[in-house]
Structure formats: C-alpha cells, structure tokens
Amino acid sequence: FRQSYFEDARIAKLVTKPLPRVVVLTGAGISAESGIATFRAADGLWENHSIEDIATPEGYHRDPQRVHDFYNERRRQLQSAHILPNNAHRALAKLGTVLGDNLLVVTQNIDNLHERASSVNVIHMHGELLKARCTQSQQVITWLDDLQPTDRCTCCQFPAPLRPHVVWFGEMPLQMEGIYQAIAECDIFIAVGTSGQVYPAAGFVHEAKLQCAETIEFNLEPTASKEEFIEGHYGPASQTLPAWVE
Ligand code: BJW
C-alpha cells in the first residue's frame, strides 16, 4: 500500500535504494485548470476551426494569415496575467526535486506552464508557442509577439518566412529518439490529461507496457486507452496528481 509517492521516493533516496525512472506524458488536460482550453472538448480549441485548415502544413500554405491569427491569439492568452501553472504542474515539479534526472516530462502542450512551475527535464514534442521557426533553415528563435506572414528570419542570406514552432499533423514530432529511449528504460509511465487520440504520443503507453513498466493514467474520465493502464486516477489533475505525489 502506497501512502505517498513523494515519501517513497524521498526514503528511497535516503537509504540509497535506486530511484525509479519515471516518464510522464502530459496533454492539454493538465493545463485546462490554468484556463487554457483543451482541443477535443465540446467548447475546445477545435470547436470553431477545421483541423485541416489550422493544424496541417497544407492549411498553413493555403492561408498563413488564418493560421497565424489562431496562434497569435493563443500566444497573447498564454502571456496574459491570469494564466498560471496549477497544482498538477507543481506536483510534477516537486516530484522532479526528488527524482532528478530520473524524471522526464514529455509534454504535447505548447504552453510553458511546466517550466514556470520549475520542472527541469521537459521535452515539448509538439513544439512551443513562444518560439518561431525559419521555414528555410529550421532555426528556432524566441518569439513573444504576434507573428505575421511578412515576418522574415535573419539567419538566411535571402530572409525566409517564419512559422510557429509547432508540430502539425503529418509532421514529425520533436526529440522522438530521446523519448523512445527514456520509455524503453522507464519503470513507471504516467499519462496526465491526454485523450490518447493523437499518435505517436498515444502509442507510448503500449511501448512502456512492453518494457513491463507500471502504467498510470490521470484524467477526468477513463480514456480509450484505459485498458493499457494498470492504474487510473479520475478527476481534476490539480487534485488527483498532488494527492498521488504528496
Ligand atoms: C483533464 C482535465 C483535468 C480535461 N484534469 N484531465 C491513422 C492512424 C494512426 C495515426 C495516424 C492516422 N492518420 C494520421 C495519423 C498520424 C497523426 C494522428 O495521430 N492522427 C490521429 C488524429 C489519428 N499524427 C501525426 O501526424 C503526428 N506525426 C506523425 O505521426 O509523424 C510520423 C511518425 C510516425 C512514427 C513515429 C513518429 C512520427 C503529428 C501530430 C501533431 C499534433 N499536433 C497538435 C497541434 C500542436 C500545436 C497546437 O497546440 O496547436 O497537437 S493536434 C493537438 O492534439 C495538439 C495536442 O498536443 C494533441 C493531443 O491532444 P491532447 O493533449 O490529448 O488534448 P485533448 O483535447 O484531445 O484531450 C484532453 C484530455 O484531457 C481529455 O481526455 C480530457 O478528459 C482531459 N482533461 N480537463 C485531467 N482538469
């Protein structure tokens, strides 16, 4: 019977027992209680947009202004004063203080709330909203303002358009080698606030199970992948995750 994951890990560290290697995959649900809409809820981000128009390279080439407008609005919202990390982000940061390099947070989210909660080992597999990328050299730069089709890079001899540094459907998610390596070595795989509908992230739990890792889901409700998880904690992540960690 586990009283507290944090205590178990802290004690393991004190008695020099090897710490478990933990990979946490987060999705839009972990940031929902910070005021950032999820994608697939009835009032979600896709509600008034066609995915093909907004989240594909083809949609961007057809109408870059429409795509920029969508991300500009989200970039402004993310930087507004009321968007703050919640207790679920903080719980993962706290776990990181004990597990150190044994904890990897792989987020599908493009917000920066894990970093603002002080998590350190974070991979943004679908990119980052506060960055832009040169469409020619692929160089990534910090970008806090609105992005427009007329904005050009300074890295190329013939300045090229800048695009949001996000991963759209049909594009390869980022740092996949490091992610699969961490999953292959993990003892515990945790998914928080993700519907499990988008690959390759949706397949990570299966990979983790092949390694005989313990698999745990935190979500408002059981997801389509619930059979892959050995354990499920259902309810708002800002409550269930701190209760499990602390
Ligand atoms: C709470 C909560 C609270 C709420 N507490 N919980 C056919 C079969 C299989 C695959 C494919 C296929 N056809 C095409 C594909 C591939 C395609 C894909 O998966 N399509 C599916 C739709 C079928 N994938 C790709 O194209 C990817 N690339 C790729 O596959 O490359 C080839 C490759 C192959 C092999 C290895 C490696 C690569 C790229 C996918 C890019 C996704 N991009 C987006 C946009 C990013 C930028 C942006 O933010 O705008 O990423 S789409 C969108 O979905 C975004 C998200 O990161 C992603 C996942 O969504 P998420 O986070 O799960 O959110 P929701 O809204 O779906 O769910 C929220 C959950 O939270 C819900 O469950 C709630 O219950 C819960 N929740 N409040 C706890 N308080």
Side-chain angles (χ1 to χ4, degrees):
F1 176 71
R2 175 181 285 152
Q3 278 267 322
S4 145
Y5 186 81
F6 187 75
E7 270 307 295
D8 282 4
R10 207 175 60 83
I11 290 163
K13 197 174 179 185
L14 286 175
V15 299
T16 63
K17 213 173 115 189
L19 289 168
R21 289 157 299 187
V22 180
V23 174
V24 180
L25 171 70
T26 66
I30 197 169
S31 296
E33 293 169 78
S34 294
I36 300 178
T38 63
F39 291 91
R40 294 170 181 83
D43 56 350
L45 283 168
W46 293 148
E47 170 71 359
N48 297 314
H49 295 98
S50 124
I51 297 180
E52 291 73 23
D53 284 341
I54 299 292
T56 63
E58 296 76 18
Y60 171 72
H61 289 302
R62 266 198 307 273
D63 190 346
Q65 188 67 63
R66 173 164 46 199
V67 174
H68 283 310
D69 287 347
F70 177 75
Y71 286 100
N72 287 343
E73 193 181 324
R74 289 172 66 192
R75 194 178 297 107
R76 272 182 247 134
Q77 187 211 17
L78 178 59
Q79 296 180 91
S80 66
H82 69 279
I83 300 290
L84 298 165
N86 66 53
N87 284 338
H89 299 102
R90 288 192 202 99
L92 290 182
K94 183 173 178 185
L95 196 55
T97 62
V98 171
L99 294 180
D101 283 345
N102 278 27
L103 174 66
L104 175 66
V105 176
V106 177
T107 187
Q108 299 169 85
N109 299 342
I110 61 174
D111 65 49
N112 58 359
L113 297 182
H114 285 302
E115 287 85 350
R116 285 167 62 189
S118 300
S119 276
V120 279
N121 276 343
V122 183
I123 290 181
H124 284 270
M125 64 178 290
H126 290 165
E128 292 175 74
L129 188 53
L130 301 186
K131 292 184 178 169
R133 191 194 319 149
C134 168
T135 49
Q136 182 117 358
S137 73
Q138 311 307 322
Q139 186 170 310
V140 174
I141 54 170
T142 299
W143 197 275
L144 307 179
D145 301 324
D146 281 4
L147 191 53
Q148 302 297 342
T150 46
D151 286 312
R152 292 275 190 281
C153 74
T154 52
C155 51
C156 298
Q157 189 185 355
F158 302 104
L162 290 166
R163 58 164 277 183
H165 179 48
V166 299
V167 177
W168 291 316
F169 287 106
E171 297 184 318
M172 183 63 84
L174 309 173
Q175 301 188 56
M176 289 308 296
E177 208 177 313
I179 295 171
Y180 279 126
Q181 176 79 31
I183 292 172
E185 292 168 357
C186 80
D187 303 300
I188 304 177
F189 175 84
I190 301 172
V192 185
T194 177
S195 59
Q197 293 189 41
V198 175
Y199 287 84
F204 291 169
V205 61
H206 188 72
E207 297 292 324
K209 271 193 100 171
L210 293 178
Q211 311 301 321
C212 300
E214 195 177 334
T215 54
I216 310 175
E217 163 166 84
F218 290 82
N219 202 298
L220 282 183
E221 57 199 11
T223 63
S225 323
K226 69 170 189 302
E227 307 300 340
E228 298 272 19
F229 292 95
I230 294 165
E231 200 177 304
H233 298 259
Y234 299 110
S238 71
Q239 292 171 28
T240 54
L241 200 52
W244 184 80
V245 168
E246 289 153 21

